[in-house]
Amino acid sequence: MNPHPHELAPLLLALGRAGIELAPHPTDAGRLRHRPANLPPELSARLRLHRAAVLGLLPPHGGYAPDAHAADGNAAYVYGERLGVADGLGLATHPGSAAWLVAVGESMGASR
């Protein structure tokens, strides 16, 4: 569980909207890879602060699943709807892709 959901959702949205892709580092499980390699300093600092939580959202470390027990079920709807729209537009939707980061960020925001 992320200890800072109110900070993580906006970070994921900012990363996705900037077109950044994330993946676990192939040889060091505690590191993240991002494309492009150079991030804006503000995003880099925020990502460094929440690295463990972001890694926990990515396979094989865990993966993201919307809160199925939320009272209104809105998080799951938002997640599926955002991924469906991105897929319909031909965007990549795999975990760590920019569209996936936006979907997860909006889903987390909807479950607060």
Side-chain angles (χ1 to χ4, degrees):
M1 186 69 138
N2 174 47
H4 307 286
H6 61 284
E7 295 174 11
L8 187 57
L11 171 60
L12 297 175
L13 285 168
L15 291 166
R17 289 177 179 155
I20 294 165
E21 294 185 21
L22 300 175
H25 193 278
T27 60
D28 185 347
R31 293 180 56 202
L32 274 169
R33 288 191 316 179
H34 48 81
R35 189 174 12 189
N38 296 320
L39 296 179
E42 183 265 337
L43 284 178
S44 181
R46 289 170 60 196
L47 185 57
R48 201 172 21 261
L49 180 65
H50 297 290
R51 177 181 27 240
V54 172
L55 277 169
L57 297 173
L58 295 166
H61 300 285
Y64 175 74
D67 185 2
H69 303 292
D72 61 5
N74 200 31
Y77 173 80
V78 168
Y79 179 70
E81 190 269 340
R82 298 305 185 268
L83 286 180
V85 168
D87 187 54
L89 292 171
L91 301 173
T93 58
H94 61 275
S97 68
W100 182 85
L101 292 169
V102 169
V104 172
E106 289 191 4
S107 175
M108 285 180 164
S111 66
R112 289 191 265 160

